[in-house]
Amino acid sequence: VQLQASGGGLVQAGDSLRLSCAVSGRSLSIYTWGWFRQAPGKEREFVGALTWSGHILSYGDSAKGRFTVSRDKAKNTMYLQMNSLKPEDTAVYYCAAKVRGNVDWDYRGQGTQVTVSS
């Protein structure tokens, strides 16, 4: 499985931004798909996850109510819609995949930088 995130940039507080994650590989339905972020000096933080069928599994506390994960099967792309962005959302955002049932995330793509100015 290969993943490549894109769509990051510099936005102002209160703006919205949608990140994309192009995925490739075989048997995509056996994986759980997720988004993470990591800010400088902080640990990696879970943002949200879903199945390839589109079932939302969970969101991290910081994402609840503002962020939405989704996927487009036809485009082999996963999305992270971020609304009401705050300066504390500034981080490198990664998409990742793991075989369903596994604890550890097996695959991670290169991240995309999101910077939110106040």
Side-chain angles (χ1 to χ4, degrees):
V1 172
Q2 293 184 324
L3 308 98
Q4 179 62 57
S6 62
L10 173 62
V11 297
Q12 293 186 332
D15 284 352
S16 297
L17 194 64
R18 189 178 78 163
L19 305 183
S20 300
C21 177
V23 305
S24 61
R26 301 175 62 180
S27 304
L28 300 181
S29 62
I30 71 170
Y31 297 94
T32 293
W33 304 88
W35 287 95
F36 292 81
R37 69 185 188 183
Q38 189 163 19
K42 295 187 177 181
E43 294 187 353
R44 188 180 70 173
E45 179 183 8
F46 171 73
V47 176
L50 76 169
T51 67
W52 196 244
S53 63
H55 176 62
I56 306 299
L57 296 174
S58 61
Y59 287 102
D61 288 341
S62 62
K64 291 177 182 176
R66 298 189 299 127
F67 295 2
T68 304
V69 295
S70 64
R71 62 84 187 96
D72 185 326
K73 282 185 176 181
K75 295 182 178 180
N76 272 13
T77 301
M78 182 171 60
Y79 300 100
L80 177 65
Q81 176 68 43
M82 304 184 292
N83 299 327
S84 302
L85 283 161
K86 306 173 182 179
E88 51 264 44
D89 294 319
T90 295
V92 176
Y93 285 72
Y94 301 89
C95 47
K98 64 175 180 176
V99 174
R100 293 174 67 180
N102 280 4
V103 173
D104 295 329
W105 291 82
D106 304 292
Y107 304 95
R108 191 185 81 171
Q110 289 186 329
T112 184
Q113 175 72 45
V114 173
T115 303
V116 184
S117 64
S118 58

